[in-house]
Amino acid sequence: MSLLATTDDAENVARAWMQKKYGKKLGKVKFTEVMSDGGVWTVKANVKLTVGVLLIKPHIVQVKIDAGTTEVLGYSETEADDKAA
C-alpha cells in the first residue's frame, strides 16, 4: 500500500521537505503540478526564496517522492522570472 495516496499527501510531504531544506528562506509556496507515475510523485511549485539580506526571488522547485516510503528521490531548483511566482 502506498503511503502517498492523494495529491494533498504529496504536497504535504513536499512542503515539509522544502521547509526542512530552505528553513527561514522559504516564503510563499504555490503548487502548480502534482502527478503520480509508477509509484513516484512529481510535485512542482512556484516558491519565493529569500536570497541575500532582503532580496526575495521566485524559484521553480520540482521534487520527486517515492510513494511507498515518502523519501525524496531528487529535486531541481531553477530561478524563475518575476511573473512565475
Side-chain angles (χ1 to χ4, degrees), residues 37-73:
D37 183 28
V40 176
W41 282 91
T42 301
V43 180
K44 189 174 183 180
N46 291 335
V47 178
K48 300 252 181 165
L49 292 177
T50 303
V51 181
V53 179
L54 294 173
L55 185 60
I56 298 172
K57 291 204 168 212
H59 286 73
I60 298 171
V61 177
Q62 182 171 302
V63 182
K64 292 196 177 276
I65 306 165
D66 184 299
T69 65
T70 70
E71 178 183 347
V72 172
L73 303 172

Side-chain angles (χ1 to χ4, degrees), residues 15 28-32 44-47:
R15 184 182 304 273
K28 179 180 161 189
V29 176
K30 180 181 177 188
F31 294 103
T32 58
K44 189 174 183 180
N46 291 335
V47 178

